[in-house]
Structures are given as C-alpha cells and as structure tokens.
Amino acid sequence: MSRAGFLLLVGLLGGNTLSGCAAFQSRPKICPVHGEQMSTVRGFAPATDVHVDPGEEYLDFSIASNSDKRYPNAVPWYFLTDKTKEWSRAIKVVVCRKCEADQNTAYEQYLKKRGIE
Ligand SMILES: [Zn+2]
C-alpha cells in the first residue's frame, strides 16, 4: 500500500464512521517491522492547493535505504507538528517510535557520508 493510501486509511478510521465499533478500536496497533506499539500523532500536512516535494537528498536516501520497507511507520516527510500558512491541513498519523528513530539515525549517517551536514 502506498504511503498516501495508508494515510487515507488512517483518516477514515479516525473519523466518526467507525466510532461505535469498540472491538475494532481496541485492536492493538503494532509495527510489523519492530513489533512496537504505535501511537497516533496529530499535526499538519500541506494544504490541498499547496504542492510540496521532498528534498533531493531525502529522495536519494529513501531509495538507497529502501526506507518504505525498513521504516514503514516513521513520521511522513511532509508532516509538521506546528501549523503554518502552507501546512494548514490537520491530520493524524499512526507512527512507530522505533521506525522514526531508526530512520532519523540512518538519514543522519547518510548525509554525513555524503558530506552534507
Ligand atoms: Zn517500526
């Protein structure tokens, strides 16, 4: 499933449609890679009329590290905790702290290796 598809699914599950389904809500959310309990984080994504792309270094890192498979539940690159003029669309994402920490470490090492600080 693509990252965009994953986020859409999270959005649908977070809505009121399924709020009456206690059995579904109590299902543990475990990262399939790390076996860690995942948590929901609220923040902001770019407004629908704002076009954003990840930086070139991040794209290169993503491909080189196979990050979608190794860190599938890291915080998405376009996610911000603070609202700005462009990042004005409130979203919730389900993240694995281990995916996020491991991806951050790998990205820092990748940039260092390439001489980018
Ligand atoms: Zn994980």
Side-chain angles (χ1 to χ4, degrees):
M1 183 181 295
S2 73
R3 185 62 57 93
F6 173 75
L7 290 172
L8 176 60
L9 181 60
V10 168
L12 290 172
L13 296 178
N16 292 330
T17 312
L18 297 173
S19 61
C21 184
F24 189 85
Q25 285 182 333
S26 65
R27 184 188 300 177
K29 297 172 184 165
I30 304 294
C31 175
V33 174
H34 297 104
E36 300 268 330
Q37 180 80 30
M38 298 200 290
S39 50
T40 302
V41 180
R42 293 173 186 272
F44 298 90
T48 53
D49 61 346
V50 175
H51 178 85
V52 294
D53 289 315
E56 188 179 334
E57 289 87 14
Y58 185 81
L59 276 178
D60 290 346
F61 160 77
S62 242
I63 293 164
S65 70
N66 202 8
S67 65
D68 281 353
K69 287 207 168 42
R70 293 176 71 185
Y71 324 109
N73 297 301
V75 173
W77 63 269
Y78 53 80
F79 179 90
L80 284 184
T81 52
D82 296 319
K83 188 175 185 176
T84 68
K85 187 180 170 203
E86 291 81 18
W87 263 255
S88 58
R89 190 163 46 97
I91 60 168
K92 286 192 288 189
V93 292
V94 177
V95 300
C96 163
R97 303 291 179 192
K98 186 96 172 103
C99 279
E100 177 65 6
D102 287 358
Q103 181 175 267
N104 283 341
T105 300
Y107 189 46
E108 284 172 19
Q109 289 170 349
Y110 179 80
L111 293 177
K112 203 173 216 176
K113 197 170 150 188
R114 294 191 55 185
I116 304 166
E117 294 294 327

Short mmCIF file of all heavy atoms in Angstrom, two decimals, residues 2-25:
data_model
loop_
_atom_site.label_atom_id
_atom_site.label_comp_id
_atom_site.label_asym_id
_atom_site.label_seq_id
_atom_site.Cartn_x
_atom_site.Cartn_y
_atom_site.Cartn_z
N SER A 2 0.54 2.20 -0.79
CA SER A 2 1.35 3.42 -0.87
C SER A 2 1.19 4.22 0.41
O SER A 2 0.25 4.02 1.17
CB SER A 2 0.92 4.26 -2.06
OG SER A 2 -0.32 4.87 -1.78
N ARG A 3 2.14 5.12 0.64
CA ARG A 3 2.06 5.97 1.82
C ARG A 3 0.78 6.80 1.80
O ARG A 3 0.11 6.97 2.80
CB ARG A 3 3.30 6.89 1.86
CG ARG A 3 3.43 7.74 3.07
CD ARG A 3 3.56 6.96 4.35
NE ARG A 3 4.65 6.03 4.38
CZ ARG A 3 5.86 6.28 4.86
NH1 ARG A 3 6.15 7.46 5.32
NH2 ARG A 3 6.79 5.37 4.87
N ALA A 4 0.42 7.32 0.62
CA ALA A 4 -0.80 8.12 0.51
C ALA A 4 -2.01 7.27 0.87
O ALA A 4 -2.91 7.71 1.56
CB ALA A 4 -0.94 8.69 -0.88
N GLY A 5 -2.02 6.03 0.41
CA GLY A 5 -3.13 5.13 0.72
C GLY A 5 -3.20 4.85 2.20
O GLY A 5 -4.28 4.80 2.78
N PHE A 6 -2.08 4.69 2.83
CA PHE A 6 -2.01 4.43 4.26
C PHE A 6 -2.63 5.60 5.03
O PHE A 6 -3.41 5.41 5.93
CB PHE A 6 -0.56 4.22 4.69
CG PHE A 6 -0.37 4.11 6.17
CD1 PHE A 6 -0.75 2.96 6.83
CD2 PHE A 6 0.15 5.16 6.88
CE1 PHE A 6 -0.59 2.86 8.19
CE2 PHE A 6 0.31 5.06 8.24
CZ PHE A 6 -0.06 3.91 8.90
N LEU A 7 -2.26 6.81 4.62
CA LEU A 7 -2.76 7.98 5.32
C LEU A 7 -4.27 8.14 5.14
O LEU A 7 -4.97 8.50 6.06
CB LEU A 7 -2.04 9.24 4.84
CG LEU A 7 -0.59 9.30 5.28
CD1 LEU A 7 0.10 10.46 4.62
CD2 LEU A 7 -0.51 9.44 6.79
N LEU A 8 -4.74 7.82 3.95
CA LEU A 8 -6.18 7.91 3.71
C LEU A 8 -6.90 6.94 4.63
O LEU A 8 -7.90 7.27 5.25
CB LEU A 8 -6.48 7.61 2.24
CG LEU A 8 -7.97 7.57 1.88
CD1 LEU A 8 -8.62 8.92 2.17
CD2 LEU A 8 -8.14 7.18 0.43
N LEU A 9 -6.36 5.74 4.75
CA LEU A 9 -6.95 4.73 5.61
C LEU A 9 -6.98 5.22 7.06
O LEU A 9 -7.99 5.10 7.74
CB LEU A 9 -6.16 3.43 5.51
CG LEU A 9 -6.67 2.25 6.33
CD1 LEU A 9 -8.08 1.89 5.90
CD2 LEU A 9 -5.74 1.07 6.17
N VAL A 10 -5.90 5.80 7.51
CA VAL A 10 -5.84 6.32 8.88
C VAL A 10 -6.91 7.38 9.06
O VAL A 10 -7.61 7.40 10.06
CB VAL A 10 -4.43 6.91 9.16
CG1 VAL A 10 -4.45 7.70 10.46
CG2 VAL A 10 -3.41 5.80 9.23
N GLY A 11 -7.04 8.25 8.06
CA GLY A 11 -8.04 9.30 8.15
C GLY A 11 -9.45 8.74 8.26
O GLY A 11 -10.25 9.19 9.06
N LEU A 12 -9.73 7.72 7.48
CA LEU A 12 -11.06 7.12 7.51
C LEU A 12 -11.33 6.45 8.86
O LEU A 12 -12.40 6.57 9.42
CB LEU A 12 -11.20 6.09 6.40
CG LEU A 12 -11.24 6.66 4.98
CD1 LEU A 12 -11.17 5.54 3.96
CD2 LEU A 12 -12.48 7.50 4.77
N LEU A 13 -10.33 5.76 9.38
CA LEU A 13 -10.51 5.05 10.64
C LEU A 13 -10.65 6.02 11.81
O LEU A 13 -11.26 5.71 12.80
CB LEU A 13 -9.34 4.10 10.89
CG LEU A 13 -9.22 2.96 9.87
CD1 LEU A 13 -8.01 2.11 10.19
CD2 LEU A 13 -10.48 2.12 9.84
N GLY A 14 -10.04 7.20 11.66
CA GLY A 14 -10.10 8.19 12.73
C GLY A 14 -11.42 8.95 12.76
O GLY A 14 -11.69 9.68 13.68
N GLY A 15 -12.21 8.80 11.73
CA GLY A 15 -13.47 9.54 11.64
C GLY A 15 -14.55 8.96 12.52
O GLY A 15 -14.33 7.98 13.23
N ASN A 16 -15.71 9.54 12.45
CA ASN A 16 -16.82 9.10 13.30
C ASN A 16 -17.49 7.85 12.79
O ASN A 16 -18.23 7.20 13.53
CB ASN A 16 -17.86 10.22 13.41
CG ASN A 16 -17.32 11.40 14.18
OD1 ASN A 16 -16.50 11.22 15.07
ND2 ASN A 16 -17.76 12.60 13.85
N THR A 17 -17.23 7.50 11.54
CA THR A 17 -17.92 6.38 10.91
C THR A 17 -17.81 5.09 11.74
O THR A 17 -18.78 4.38 11.90
CB THR A 17 -17.33 6.12 9.51
OG1 THR A 17 -17.24 7.36 8.84
CG2 THR A 17 -18.20 5.17 8.73
N LEU A 18 -16.62 4.84 12.27
CA LEU A 18 -16.41 3.57 12.97
C LEU A 18 -16.35 3.74 14.49
O LEU A 18 -15.95 2.85 15.19
CB LEU A 18 -15.09 2.94 12.49
CG LEU A 18 -15.06 2.56 11.01
CD1 LEU A 18 -13.66 2.10 10.63
CD2 LEU A 18 -16.06 1.48 10.71
N SER A 19 -16.75 4.91 14.97
CA SER A 19 -16.58 5.17 16.40
C SER A 19 -17.38 4.22 17.28
O SER A 19 -17.05 4.03 18.43
CB SER A 19 -16.93 6.63 16.73
OG SER A 19 -18.29 6.86 16.41
N GLY A 20 -18.42 3.62 16.73
CA GLY A 20 -19.22 2.71 17.53
C GLY A 20 -18.67 1.30 17.59
O GLY A 20 -19.21 0.44 18.25
N CYS A 21 -17.57 1.07 16.88
CA CYS A 21 -17.03 -0.28 16.79
C CYS A 21 -15.92 -0.46 17.82
O CYS A 21 -14.75 -0.30 17.52
CB CYS A 21 -16.52 -0.53 15.38
SG CYS A 21 -15.93 -2.20 15.13
N ALA A 22 -16.30 -0.80 19.04
CA ALA A 22 -15.33 -0.89 20.13
C ALA A 22 -14.29 -1.98 19.88
O ALA A 22 -13.12 -1.80 20.19
CB ALA A 22 -16.04 -1.14 21.45
N ALA A 23 -14.72 -3.09 19.32
CA ALA A 23 -13.80 -4.19 19.09
C ALA A 23 -12.68 -3.77 18.15
O ALA A 23 -11.51 -4.07 18.36
CB ALA A 23 -14.54 -5.39 18.52
N PHE A 24 -13.04 -3.02 17.11
CA PHE A 24 -12.04 -2.58 16.16
C PHE A 24 -11.11 -1.56 16.79
O PHE A 24 -9.90 -1.61 16.63
CB PHE A 24 -12.71 -1.97 14.91
CG PHE A 24 -11.74 -1.72 13.82
CD1 PHE A 24 -11.39 -2.73 12.94
CD2 PHE A 24 -11.15 -0.47 13.67
CE1 PHE A 24 -10.48 -2.51 11.94
CE2 PHE A 24 -10.23 -0.25 12.67
CZ PHE A 24 -9.89 -1.27 11.80
N GLN A 25 -11.66 -0.62 17.57
CA GLN A 25 -10.84 0.43 18.17
C GLN A 25 -9.83 -0.13 19.17
O GLN A 25 -8.76 0.42 19.34
CB GLN A 25 -11.73 1.45 18.89
CG GLN A 25 -12.44 2.36 17.92
CD GLN A 25 -13.29 3.39 18.64
OE1 GLN A 25 -13.74 3.15 19.76
NE2 GLN A 25 -13.50 4.52 18.01
#
